[in-house]
Amino acid sequence: MSLDITSLSRAANEARGLAIDAVHASKSGHLGLPLGCAEIAAVLYGHELKHNPDEPRWIGRDYFILSAGHGSMLLYAWLNLSGYDVTMDDIRAFRQLHSKTPGHPEYFETPGVECTTGPLGQGLGNAVGVAVAAKMAAARFNTPEHQIFDQHIICLAGDGCMQEGVSAEACAFAGHFGLDNLILIYDANAVTLDAMAAATQSEDTGKRFQAYGFDVQKVDGQDMVAFLRALKKAKARDNGKPQMIIAQTLIGKGIPEVAGTAKAHGEAGAKFADEARKNLALPEEHYFVSQETRDYFAKHKKALLRQYKRWEKMYRDWRAKHPDQAQLLDDAIDKKVPADLLSKVPAFPADAKIATRKAGSEALQPLAREMPFLISGSADLHGSTLNYIEGGEDFSRDNHKGRNIHFGIREHGMCAIMNGIGYHGVFRASGAT
Ligand SMILES: Cc1ncc(C[n+]2csc(CCOP(=O)(O)OP(=O)(O)O)c2C)c(N)n1
């Protein structure tokens, strides 16, 4: 299907309006990213992302992770348009206590939110972890005729995420381990919170990621056709390299008084709301979504559900042909463990003369035998921490079944990646240093 520019441009401006109204009403929040990345979100949510708003945790979905969590109104607006259970009343309650629309996205609060983000860089580390888990799940469960796990992990990150060290650790790991299911969109808007990004960065980020082993493309992030082309290329590559799309955007696009400057980052633009709304061709009515946009997304959702049904048919066939595997997967997702699990762990007398790490290793082995989805990793210290799963093989570019992850000396990245593995929902990750 070709890109419906007219409908998606309209939707992008209405999503901008939702962000302006919500930030204006709550007198706080971040307008820059939801305005600057509206076209990117339009292409994702309105065209290319594989997902099911009626079943947000569908295991076959693409994941969209907003690492730049301060831009949460981007997520809430597009989840609402897509038909998730994020209502206009939820958007009216933006940043209010106990709302479904907290200042930064929270995994347990909002359907369609994949990771709790806000601490810059962490979401990108989580995305690498989800990509690891998706590779592991594909290796364990897919068959030549059943591609149960066949998805992309798409992460939107800004200059802040790029500057934080945790993302460097996680992305160097992603390049080394060949996570070509990861697509990193870098919102390169040349602005951070206090100042223009040039005040604190002068590296060539694209070259840095190329050096990590990423394929790097550069596009105008406001050009939906160009962005979709880059996204499709990234999805098709399948070449053992994570993908990066550097999308040059105009922060705060739609509020000319602040666009392109550090003032656009937060709520400063909200005082120009009335003028901005007029320029975006929005009516007086606040929290406005046109019938045309609702119709577009209703139609798009039908197409998504057809895609989902095709997957479900294949999934049912897989379950019928591989009932033992299906049971394993159900148990993993339900976090079931054998009732007598603890009885498998050796008992140690209180005065045992044994190093705790050695005792830990002896406890780990039977647990790993009983829990096939337990993963154990180390930041280059398996030799000391003794948490290597015997017979569990190494996770590598060529062996995604491996249960031992060699994180390298990247402890911060290891933690973010382990959390990402947890978010994916099938495996239980542990790590040591
Ligand atoms: C680890 C961490 N440090 C600091 C912050 C505070 N903070 C939030 S956004 C931001 C600037 C981010 O700049 P950028 O990623 O370019 O976002 P943009 O201005 O493009 O929205 C800062 C310093 C944070 N959320 N997390």
Side-chain angles (χ1 to χ4, degrees):
M1 205 178 70
S2 64
L3 201 60
D4 181 345
I5 305 274
T6 308
S7 298
L8 291 176
S9 300
R10 184 192 298 116
N13 279 348
E14 291 172 6
R16 286 188 167 100
L18 296 182
I20 291 171
D21 290 342
V23 170
H24 189 259
S26 70
K27 299 190 178 60
S28 64
H30 297 82
L31 275 175
L33 186 147
L35 268 58
C37 293
E39 279 78 15
I40 291 173
V43 170
L44 289 170
Y45 282 96
H47 192 85
E48 197 58 17
L49 204 60
K50 178 168 70 171
H51 63 137
N52 180 355
D54 291 340
E55 199 180 321
R57 301 265 186 255
W58 166 32
I59 58 172
R61 69 191 182 280
D62 288 336
Y63 289 69
F64 175 70
I65 295 166
L66 180 66
S67 186
H70 57 277
S72 56
M73 261 314 299
L74 178 99
L75 263 181
Y76 304 146
W78 292 96
L79 291 175
N80 172 280
L81 297 181
S82 299
Y84 282 81
D85 184 16
V86 177
T87 65
M88 208 50 90
D89 280 345
D90 293 324
I91 289 184
R92 284 178 207 274
F94 177 57
R95 286 181 88 96
Q96 304 309 305
L97 198 58
H98 306 307
S99 75
K100 246 189 224 177
T101 47
H104 294 74
E106 294 186 27
Y107 177 81
F108 289 107
E109 303 296 339
T110 318
V113 169
E114 301 285 11
C115 296
T116 296
T117 55
L120 298 170
Q122 292 287 343
L124 180 44
N126 295 159
V128 172
V130 177
V132 167
K135 286 277 185 197
M136 284 179 164
R140 297 260 199 128
F141 295 106
N142 286 1
T143 72
E145 65 174 316
H146 306 104
Q147 298 297 299
I148 312 293
F149 293 95
D150 178 20
Q151 58 226 130
H152 287 96
I153 319 307
I154 301 172
C155 178
L156 179 60
D159 297 296
C161 295
M162 294 298 142
Q163 290 191 5
E164 289 289 352
V166 64
S167 68
E169 292 183 18
C171 289
F173 175 97
H176 180 77
F177 286 93
L179 302 178
D180 54 12
N181 52 349
L182 176 70
I183 301 176
L184 164 60
I185 303 166
Y186 169 23
D187 174 28
N189 58 21
V191 168
T192 62
L193 190 156
D194 272 345
M196 297 306 285
T200 52
Q201 70 187 25
S202 41
E203 67 180 27
D204 184 329
T205 311
K207 281 199 183 137
R208 175 158 68 95
F209 276 72
Q210 254 166 3
Y212 291 155
F214 280 56
D215 273 335
V216 179
Q217 308 179 64
K218 215 177 237 186
V219 295
D220 174 350
Q222 251 82 55
D223 179 340
M224 289 194 273
V225 174
F227 176 69
L228 178 63
R229 200 182 306 123
L231 187 60
K232 280 186 181 287
K233 208 162 157 187
K235 281 172 68 177
R237 274 199 173 135
D238 232 359
N239 59 357
K241 288 175 158 221
Q243 303 293 311
M244 178 188 219
I245 301 173
I246 302 179
Q248 281 157 331
T249 65
L250 178 67
I251 187 167
K253 186 181 172 203
I255 309 184
E257 290 85 348
V258 296
T261 74
K263 282 195 187 126
H265 168 88
E267 72 267 15
K271 62 172 174 281
F272 306 106
D274 291 343
E275 204 47 36
R277 299 180 83 269
K278 263 188 229 146
N279 288 339
L280 292 167
L282 297 170
E284 291 281 302
E285 182 190 339
H286 283 222
Y287 301 99
F288 172 79
V289 177
S290 65
Q291 195 53 48
E292 288 93 330
T293 296
R294 289 287 179 218
D295 290 347
Y296 176 87
F297 275 91
K299 193 166 159 220
H300 182 58
K301 187 169 164 190
K302 280 193 185 142
L304 289 175
L305 292 181
R306 283 196 295 277
Q307 183 182 41
Y308 172 78
K309 290 257 182 286
R310 282 195 296 278
W311 176 91
E312 203 185 28
K313 187 163 175 281
M314 178 259 299
Y315 181 59
R316 265 197 251 111
D317 186 58
W318 173 78
R319 292 187 71 89
K321 288 182 178 152
H322 306 278
D324 293 349
Q325 285 286 89
Q327 187 62 54
L328 270 179
L329 179 58
D330 290 349
D331 289 351
I333 291 171
D334 294 343
K335 302 277 174 279
K336 267 199 201 148
V337 293
D340 60 348
L341 182 66
L342 288 182
S343 72
K344 312 281 179 182
V345 177
F348 300 99
D351 62 351
K353 296 279 178 283
I354 181 170
T356 45
R357 58 192 175 138
K358 181 79 180 76
S361 177
E362 286 179 24
L364 173 66
Q365 303 312 327
L367 289 175
R369 277 194 291 277
E370 299 297 321
M371 297 171 64
F373 298 96
L374 182 65
I375 303 301
S376 189
S378 182
D380 196 44
L381 276 171
H382 273 124
S384 291
T385 52
L386 305 180
N387 65 324
Y388 191 90
I389 297 176
E390 287 160 16
E393 302 174 22
D394 291 348
F395 178 81
S396 71
R397 294 179 78 92
D398 307 315
N399 183 13
H400 295 142
K401 285 189 179 161
R403 297 171 66 187
N404 294 291
I405 302 184
H406 296 271
F407 286 102
I409 308 102
R410 303 187 180 103
E411 292 80 4
H412 202 174
M414 173 173 82
C415 294
I417 292 169
M418 287 197 301
N419 281 332
I421 293 173
Y423 279 125
H424 178 267
V426 171
F427 299 92
R428 293 192 188 217
S430 62
T433 189

